[in-house]
Amino acid sequence: MAPNPTRSRTTKAPEDRRKDLLDAGLRVFCDKGIKEATISDITRAADVAKGTFYLYFDSKDHLLAALKERFIQSMMSEAFSLLSAVGQDDWWELTDRTIEAMVDFPLRHPEELKAFYFQIPSSPETQGILSESDTRVWEMATESIQAGIDAGVFSASDPALAAMFIHEAIDGAVRHRIMYGIDIDRDRLVAAAKEMARKILAPERLPLQSATVPRSTG
């Protein structure tokens, strides 16, 4: 009797195997939903043994958090390409391009956004990953605004909060458009975001006039 053919497994570098698991996880989450997806579904889609999963991730939530971290790293890479133009291009033109990127990037990744915001991992082992990722984005935006202030172009008494307001406003609007199917045109979103950024960051031309309440003569 001829021996049964055995299936040979492909040897891959750890970083490639981890990427395969992340890609498979995203496909399974999009196809079946995060709640219904199982680790067996993910390993089957990645064509690896179930035990291999635990060499890279502690749980399904851990993998989901790693997907968000990868998404944010990709977003930051795009942002860094814009930051390379700091000091070379017009500040407001660069701000406009940055706003456009902040709107367009998540619109190009709707499935990731749905996965991250419909069911964000809440287990303790993943909170640190999410918190660190969000903090990096906030710090990068704060440093950019501070650079504009130092160049005498922007004006903000609290660069960190200015960065938070701009980021959260744009992120929230795009997120709602994706999650709830709100019919907001992309160009309309971009135009409103640019107007908001200018109102937050542009230097004040005139001092604010304080309103005085008339005293009662009665």
Side-chain angles (χ1 to χ4, degrees):
M1 179 181 295
N4 292 329
T6 58
R7 183 182 178 185
S8 61
R9 291 192 176 275
T10 302
T11 302
K12 291 188 176 183
E15 59 271 19
D16 292 334
R17 187 67 74 190
R18 185 176 188 273
K19 180 181 182 301
D20 288 346
L21 285 165
L22 286 169
D23 292 341
L26 183 58
R27 292 196 304 272
V28 171
F29 291 155
C30 292
D31 291 342
K32 300 190 66 173
I34 296 171
K35 185 176 180 180
E36 291 76 16
T38 66
I39 291 175
S40 294
D41 292 330
I42 296 169
T43 55
R44 187 160 45 248
D47 193 26
V48 299
K50 189 172 182 179
T52 303
F53 179 92
Y54 293 102
L55 296 175
Y56 301 93
F57 306 103
D58 297 330
S59 64
K60 184 175 69 174
D61 279 354
H62 188 187
L63 183 142
L64 182 59
L67 278 170
K68 182 178 182 184
E69 183 179 36
R70 185 176 71 171
F71 171 81
I72 290 177
Q73 287 174 342
S74 178
M75 179 175 62
M76 289 177 64
S77 177
E78 185 167 319
F80 279 128
S81 70
L82 290 168
L83 290 177
S84 66
V86 169
Q88 302 177 29
D89 295 353
D90 177 82
W91 273 93
W92 288 112
E93 289 180 1
L94 181 59
T95 300
D96 285 347
R97 296 205 307 273
T98 302
I99 295 295
E100 291 173 6
M102 292 175 69
V103 172
D104 290 337
F105 185 85
L107 290 180
R108 293 198 304 269
H109 299 81
E111 297 303 331
E112 287 94 328
L113 266 291
K114 289 176 183 177
F116 302 149
Y117 290 107
F118 273 126
Q119 186 171 331
I120 298 176
S122 57
S123 55
E125 66 267 21
T126 62
Q127 284 303 307
I129 295 175
L130 293 175
S131 177
E132 181 182 353
S133 298
D134 290 338
T135 297
R136 286 205 304 268
V137 173
W138 183 21
E139 289 176 346
M140 184 176 64
T142 300
E143 291 169 4
S144 300
I145 291 175
Q146 184 62 60
I149 293 172
D150 295 341
V153 179
F154 296 160
S155 175
S157 59
D158 193 325
L161 285 182
M164 177 182 287
F165 292 149
I166 293 172
H167 175 267
E168 292 298 319
I170 296 174
D171 179 71
V174 175
R175 187 193 321 166
H176 275 71
R177 182 183 188 273
I178 292 172
M179 288 173 62
Y180 304 118
I182 298 175
D183 186 17
I184 303 178
D185 180 73
R186 176 265 180 196
D187 292 341
R188 182 183 171 197
L189 269 175
V190 169
K194 289 178 180 179
E195 180 182 6
M196 175 193 66
R198 276 170 163 71
K199 289 181 177 179
I200 292 176
L201 299 176
E204 296 177 5
R205 300 291 182 183
L206 296 173
L208 293 174
Q209 295 182 1
S210 60
T212 57
V213 179
R215 295 183 179 180
S216 174
T217 57

